[in-house]
Coordinates of all heavy atoms in Angstrom, one line a residue:
K316 N 0.8 -1.2 0.0 CA 0.0 0.0 0.0 C 0.9 1.2 0.0 O 0.6 2.2 -0.7 CB -0.9 0.0 1.2 CG -1.8 1.2 1.3 CD -2.7 1.3 2.5 CE -3.5 2.6 2.5 NZ -4.3 2.7 3.6
R317 N 1.9 1.2 0.8 CA 2.9 2.4 0.9 C 3.8 2.4 -0.3 O 4.1 3.4 -0.9 CB 3.6 2.3 2.2 CG 4.7 3.4 2.4 CD 5.6 2.9 3.5 NE 6.3 1.6 3.2 CZ 6.6 0.7 4.1 NH1 6.3 1.0 5.4 NH2 7.2 -0.4 3.8
D318 N 4.3 1.2 -0.6 CA 5.4 1.2 -1.5 C 5.0 1.3 -3.0 O 5.8 1.6 -3.9 CB 6.1 -0.2 -1.4 CG 6.8 -0.4 0.0 OD1 7.0 0.7 0.6 OD2 7.0 -1.5 0.4
S319 N 3.7 1.2 -3.3 CA 3.2 1.3 -4.6 C 2.6 2.6 -4.9 O 2.0 2.8 -6.0 CB 2.2 0.2 -5.0 OG 1.1 0.3 -4.1
L320 N 2.6 3.6 -4.0 CA 2.1 4.9 -4.3 C 2.8 5.5 -5.5 O 4.0 5.6 -5.6 CB 2.2 5.8 -3.0 CG 1.2 5.7 -1.9 CD1 1.7 6.6 -0.8 CD2 -0.2 6.0 -2.4
P321 N 1.9 6.1 -6.4 CA 2.5 6.9 -7.5 C 3.2 8.2 -7.0 O 2.8 8.7 -5.9 CB 1.3 7.1 -8.4 CG 0.2 7.0 -7.5 CD 0.5 6.0 -6.5
R322 N 4.0 8.7 -7.8 CA 4.7 9.9 -7.4 C 3.7 11.1 -7.1 O 3.9 11.9 -6.2 CB 5.7 10.4 -8.5 CG 6.4 11.7 -8.3 CD 7.1 11.8 -7.0 NE 8.1 10.8 -6.8 CZ 8.9 10.7 -5.8 NH1 8.7 11.5 -4.7 NH2 9.7 9.7 -5.6
Y323 N 2.6 11.1 -7.8 CA 1.6 12.1 -7.6 C 1.1 12.1 -6.2 O 0.8 13.2 -5.6 CB 0.5 11.8 -8.6 CG -0.7 12.9 -8.6 CD1 -0.5 14.1 -9.2 CD2 -1.9 12.6 -7.9 CE1 -1.6 15.1 -9.2 CE2 -2.9 13.5 -7.9 CZ -2.8 14.7 -8.6 OH -3.8 15.6 -8.5
C324 N 0.9 10.9 -5.6 CA 0.5 10.8 -4.3 C 1.6 11.1 -3.2 O 1.4 11.7 -2.2 CB -0.1 9.4 -4.0 SG -1.5 9.0 -4.9
I325 N 2.8 10.6 -3.6 CA 3.9 10.9 -2.7 C 4.2 12.3 -2.5 O 4.5 12.8 -1.3 CB 5.2 10.2 -3.2 CG1 5.0 8.6 -3.2 CG2 6.4 10.6 -2.5 CD1 6.1 7.9 -3.8
D326 N 4.0 13.1 -3.5 CA 4.2 14.6 -3.4 C 3.0 15.4 -3.0 O 3.1 16.6 -2.9 CB 4.7 15.1 -4.8 CG 6.0 14.6 -5.2 OD1 6.8 14.1 -4.4 OD2 6.3 14.5 -6.4
C327 N 1.9 14.7 -2.7 CA 0.7 15.4 -2.3 C 0.7 16.0 -0.9 O 1.2 15.4 0.0 CB -0.6 14.4 -2.5 SG -2.1 15.2 -2.1
D328 N 0.2 17.2 -0.8 CA 0.2 17.9 0.6 C -0.7 17.1 1.6 O -0.4 17.3 2.8 CB -0.3 19.3 0.4 CG 0.7 20.2 -0.4 OD1 1.8 19.9 -0.4 OD2 0.2 21.2 -0.9
V329 N -1.6 16.4 1.2 CA -2.5 15.7 2.1 C -2.2 14.2 2.3 O -3.0 13.4 2.8 CB -4.0 15.9 1.8 CG1 -4.3 17.4 2.0 CG2 -4.4 15.3 0.5
R330 N -1.1 13.8 1.8 CA -0.7 12.4 1.8 C -0.7 11.9 3.3 O -1.1 10.7 3.6 CB 0.6 12.1 1.2 CG 1.1 10.6 1.3 CD 2.5 10.4 1.1 NE 2.9 9.1 1.4 CZ 4.1 8.6 1.4 NH1 5.1 9.4 1.0 NH2 4.4 7.3 1.8
F331 N -0.3 12.7 4.2 CA -0.2 12.3 5.6 C -1.5 11.8 6.1 O -1.6 11.0 7.1 CB 0.4 13.4 6.5 CG -0.6 14.5 6.7 CD1 -1.3 14.6 7.9 CD2 -0.7 15.5 5.7 CE1 -2.2 15.6 8.1 CE2 -1.6 16.6 6.0 CZ -2.4 16.7 7.1
A332 N -2.6 12.4 5.6 CA -4.0 12.0 6.1 C -4.6 10.9 5.2 O -5.5 10.2 5.7 CB -4.9 13.2 6.1
C333 N -4.3 10.9 4.0 CA -4.9 10.0 3.0 C -4.2 8.7 2.8 O -4.7 7.6 2.8 CB -5.1 10.7 1.7 SG -5.8 9.8 0.4
N334 N -2.9 8.8 2.5 CA -2.0 7.7 2.3 C -2.6 6.8 1.1 O -2.4 5.6 1.0 CB -1.8 6.8 3.4 CG -0.8 7.4 4.4 OD1 0.3 7.8 4.1 ND2 -1.3 7.6 5.7
G335 N -3.2 7.5 0.1 CA -3.7 6.8 -1.1 C -4.9 6.0 -0.9 O -5.4 5.3 -1.8
E336 N -5.5 6.2 0.3 CA -6.8 5.5 0.7 C -6.6 4.0 0.4 O -5.5 3.4 0.4 CB -8.0 6.1 0.1 CG -9.3 6.0 0.8 CD -10.3 5.1 0.2 OE1 -10.0 4.6 -0.9 OE2 -11.3 4.9 0.8
C337 N -7.7 3.3 0.2 CA -7.7 1.8 0.1 C -7.1 1.4 -1.3 O -7.6 1.9 -2.3 CB -9.1 1.2 0.3 SG -9.1 -0.5 0.3
P338 N -6.3 0.4 -1.3 CA -5.8 -0.1 -2.6 C -6.8 -0.6 -3.5 O -6.6 -0.6 -4.8 CB -4.8 -1.2 -2.2 CG -4.3 -0.8 -0.8 CD -5.5 -0.2 -0.2
K339 N -8.0 -1.0 -3.0 CA -9.0 -1.5 -3.9 C -9.6 -0.4 -4.8 O -10.2 -0.7 -5.9 CB -10.2 -2.1 -3.0 CG -11.0 -1.0 -2.3 CD -12.2 -1.7 -1.5 CE -12.9 -0.7 -0.7 NZ -13.6 0.3 -1.6
N340 N -9.3 0.8 -4.5 CA -9.9 1.9 -5.3 C -8.8 2.6 -6.2 O -9.0 3.5 -6.8 CB -10.4 3.0 -4.4 CG -11.7 2.6 -3.6 OD1 -12.5 1.8 -4.2 ND2 -11.9 3.1 -2.4
R341 N -7.6 2.0 -6.2 CA -6.5 2.6 -7.0 C -6.5 2.1 -8.4 O -5.6 1.2 -8.7 CB -5.2 2.3 -6.2 CG -5.1 3.0 -4.9 CD -3.7 2.7 -4.3 NE -3.5 3.2 -3.0 CZ -2.4 3.0 -2.3 NH1 -1.4 2.3 -2.8 NH2 -2.2 3.4 -1.1
F342 N -7.3 2.5 -9.2 CA -7.4 2.0 -10.6 C -7.3 3.1 -11.6 O -7.6 2.9 -12.8 CB -8.6 1.1 -10.8 CG -9.9 1.7 -10.4 CD1 -10.6 2.4 -11.3 CD2 -10.4 1.5 -9.1 CE1 -11.9 2.9 -11.0 CE2 -11.7 2.0 -8.8 CZ -12.4 2.7 -9.7
L343 N -7.0 4.4 -11.3 CA -6.9 5.4 -12.2 C -5.5 5.7 -12.5 O -4.6 5.3 -11.8 CB -7.6 6.7 -11.7 CG -9.1 6.7 -11.4 CD1 -9.5 8.1 -11.0 CD2 -9.8 6.2 -12.6
L344 N -5.2 6.4 -13.6 CA -3.9 6.9 -13.9 C -3.8 8.3 -13.4 O -4.7 9.1 -13.4 CB -3.7 6.9 -15.5 CG -3.8 5.6 -16.2 CD1 -3.6 5.8 -17.7 CD2 -2.7 4.6 -15.6
T345 N -2.6 8.7 -12.9 CA -2.3 10.0 -12.4 C -2.2 11.0 -13.7 O -2.2 10.5 -14.8 CB -1.0 10.1 -11.7 OG1 0.1 9.9 -12.6 CG2 -0.9 9.0 -10.6
P346 N -2.2 12.3 -13.4 CA -2.1 13.2 -14.6 C -0.8 12.9 -15.4 O -0.8 13.3 -16.6 CB -2.0 14.6 -13.9 CG -2.8 14.4 -12.6 CD -2.5 13.0 -12.2
D347 N 0.2 12.3 -14.8 CA 1.4 12.0 -15.5 C 1.3 10.6 -16.2 O 2.3 10.2 -16.8 CB 2.6 12.0 -14.6 CG 2.8 13.4 -14.0 OD1 2.6 14.4 -14.7 OD2 3.3 13.5 -12.8
G348 N 0.2 9.9 -16.1 CA 0.0 8.7 -16.7 C 0.6 7.5 -15.9 O 0.6 6.3 -16.4
E349 N 0.9 7.7 -14.6 CA 1.3 6.6 -13.7 C 0.1 5.9 -13.1 O -0.8 6.5 -12.7 CB 2.2 7.2 -12.7 CG 2.9 6.1 -11.9 CD 3.9 6.7 -10.8 OE1 4.0 8.0 -10.7 OE2 4.5 5.9 -10.1
P350 N 0.1 4.6 -13.1 CA -1.0 3.8 -12.6 C -1.1 3.9 -11.0 O -0.1 4.1 -10.4 CB -0.8 2.4 -13.0 CG 0.7 2.3 -13.2 CD 1.1 3.6 -13.7
G351 N -2.2 3.7 -10.5 CA -2.3 3.5 -9.0 C -3.0 4.7 -8.3 O -2.9 4.8 -7.1
L352 N -3.6 5.6 -9.1 CA -4.3 6.7 -8.4 C -5.7 6.3 -7.9 O -6.4 5.6 -8.6 CB -4.5 7.9 -9.4 CG -5.1 9.1 -8.9 CD1 -4.2 9.8 -7.8 CD2 -5.5 10.1 -10.0
N353 N -6.0 6.7 -6.8 CA -7.3 6.3 -6.2 C -8.5 7.0 -6.9 O -8.4 8.2 -7.2 CB -7.4 6.7 -4.7 CG -8.5 6.0 -3.9 OD1 -9.6 6.2 -4.1 ND2 -8.0 5.1 -3.0
Y354 N -9.5 6.2 -7.1 CA -10.7 6.8 -7.8 C -11.3 8.0 -7.1 O -11.8 8.9 -7.7 CB -11.8 5.7 -7.9 CG -13.1 6.1 -8.4 CD1 -13.3 6.5 -9.7 CD2 -14.2 6.2 -7.4 CE1 -14.6 7.0 -10.1 CE2 -15.4 6.6 -7.9 CZ -15.6 7.1 -9.2 OH -16.8 7.5 -9.6
L355 N -11.2 8.0 -5.7 CA -11.8 9.0 -4.9 C -10.8 10.2 -4.7 O -11.1 11.0 -3.8 CB -12.3 8.5 -3.6 CG -13.5 7.5 -3.8 CD1 -13.8 6.8 -2.4 CD2 -14.8 8.2 -4.3
C356 N -9.7 10.2 -5.3 CA -8.6 11.1 -5.0 C -9.1 12.6 -5.0 O -8.8 13.3 -4.1 CB -7.5 11.0 -6.0 SG -6.2 12.2 -5.9
A357 N -9.8 13.0 -6.1 CA -10.2 14.4 -6.1 C -11.1 14.8 -5.0 O -10.9 15.9 -4.4 CB -11.0 14.6 -7.5
G358 N -12.0 13.9 -4.6 CA -12.9 14.2 -3.5 C -12.1 14.3 -2.2 O -12.3 15.2 -1.3
Y359 N -11.2 13.3 -1.9 CA -10.4 13.3 -0.7 C -9.5 14.5 -0.6 O -9.3 15.1 0.5 CB -9.6 12.0 -0.5 CG -10.4 10.9 0.0 CD1 -10.5 9.7 -0.7 CD2 -11.1 11.0 1.3 CE1 -11.2 8.6 -0.1 CE2 -11.8 10.0 1.8 CZ -11.9 8.8 1.1 OH -12.6 7.7 1.6
K360 N -8.8 14.9 -1.7 CA -7.9 16.0 -1.7 C -8.7 17.3 -1.4 O -8.1 18.1 -0.5 CB -7.2 16.1 -3.1 CG -6.1 17.0 -3.1 CD -5.2 16.9 -4.3 CE -4.0 17.8 -4.3 NZ -3.2 17.6 -5.5
T361 N -9.8 17.5 -1.9 CA -10.6 18.7 -1.6 C -11.0 18.7 -0.2 O -11.0 19.7 0.5 CB -11.9 18.7 -2.5 OG1 -11.5 18.8 -3.9 CG2 -12.7 20.0 -2.2
F362 N -11.5 17.5 0.4 CA -11.9 17.4 1.7 C -10.8 17.7 2.7 O -11.0 18.5 3.6 CB -12.6 16.0 2.0 CG -12.8 15.7 3.4 CD1 -13.7 16.4 4.2 CD2 -12.0 14.7 4.0 CE1 -13.9 16.1 5.5 CE2 -12.2 14.3 5.3 CZ -13.1 15.1 6.1
F363 N -9.7 17.0 2.6 CA -8.6 17.2 3.6 C -8.0 18.6 3.5 O -7.6 19.1 4.5 CB -7.5 16.1 3.3 CG -7.9 14.7 3.7 CD1 -7.8 13.7 2.9 CD2 -8.3 14.5 5.1 CE1 -8.2 12.4 3.3 CE2 -8.6 13.2 5.5 CZ -8.6 12.2 4.6

């Protein structure tokens, strides 16, 4: 869960609270085209 985070998540300001959320939801591509972005990322980023 930690080791497979894409760079987009690693560099995110709210990673400390989100940590990429559940791996079951990580099926999107990041803006840079890297796999492993959480489907709910946009919502969680806005919320946190």
Side-chain angles (χ1 to χ4, degrees):
K316 179 182 180 182
R317 175 196 61 213
D318 299 340
S319 64
L320 277 176
R322 175 54 57 182
Y323 182 79
C324 294
I325 293 172
D326 294 338
C327 180
D328 290 338
V329 298
R330 178 198 169 183
F331 73 98
C333 175
N334 284 306
E336 210 249 357
C337 184
K339 71 180 175 63
N340 294 327
R341 295 182 184 177
F342 53 88
L343 297 185
L344 298 178
T345 69
D347 297 327
E349 190 177 359
L352 183 66
N353 195 292
Y354 169 73
L355 296 170
C356 171
Y359 276 126
K360 191 168 186 177
T361 301
F362 167 65
F363 286 124

